[in-house]
């Protein structure tokens, strides 16, 4: 239900990201390091500020565990992979689901963007 941001230099916990309703599955940093995206068994992903620890946005629309997420190279979009057999493309600015990728026939454990 929570994720933590730790300083590797001091070992200090910088932030505890609280707000998921179930186990946190994964976390991914934005390309500029200003945000972190967490995925959860609560069927959602959350975007957090690494500076303040505040939840900036919640991405909802999957109907099963969200297993992983990835930022686009420019940080403008994110992909979420789910056990509901879909991958969703979201706008980080608006939180809008831009596209749902279907047809794989099984659950997704991860998703990634091409560097270009």
């Amino acid at each position: 239900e929570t994720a933590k941001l730790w300083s590797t230099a001091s070992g200090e916990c910088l932030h505890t990201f609280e707000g998921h309703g179930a186990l946190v599955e994964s976390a991914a940093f934005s390309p500029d390091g200003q945000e972190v995206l967490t995925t959860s068994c609560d069927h959602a992903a959350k975007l957090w500020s690494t500076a303040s620890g505040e939840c900036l946005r919640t991405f909802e629309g999957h109907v099963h565990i969200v297993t992983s997420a990835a930022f686009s190279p420019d940080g403008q979009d994110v992909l979420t992979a789910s056990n509901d057999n879909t991958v969703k493309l979201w706008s980080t600015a608006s939180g809008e689901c831009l596209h749902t990728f279907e047809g794989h026939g099984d659950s997704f454990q991860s998703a990634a963007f091409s560097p270009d």
Side-chain angles (χ1 to χ4, degrees):
E1 296 178 6
T2 64
K4 292 184 180 282
L5 178 63
W6 300 88
S7 166
T8 57
S10 69
E12 174 187 5
C13 178
L14 303 174
H15 293 293
T16 299
F17 304 116
E18 298 181 67
H20 280 292
L23 178 75
V24 173
E25 284 284 313
S26 71
F29 281 94
S30 62
D32 65 6
Q34 299 300 305
E35 298 163 332
V36 66
L37 186 65
T38 56
T39 66
S40 174
C41 293
D42 66 4
H43 309 176
K46 291 185 177 285
L47 183 68
W48 308 88
S49 165
T50 57
S52 69
E54 174 187 3
C55 181
L56 304 173
R57 183 162 279 91
T58 299
F59 302 97
E60 296 177 304
H62 285 289
V63 295
H64 209 293
I65 295 167
V66 182
T67 54
S68 73
F71 279 90
S72 62
D74 64 7
Q76 299 301 305
D77 299 312
V78 295
L79 288 172
T80 55
S82 175
N83 283 354
D84 67 7
N85 302 353
T86 68
V87 170
K88 292 184 179 286
L89 176 67
W90 307 86
S91 164
T92 55
S94 70
E96 176 186 2
C97 181
L98 304 173
H99 190 77
T100 299
F101 301 93
E102 300 177 272
H104 188 265
D106 208 345
S107 63
F108 285 90
Q109 295 306 305
S110 67
F113 280 94
S114 167
D116 60 356

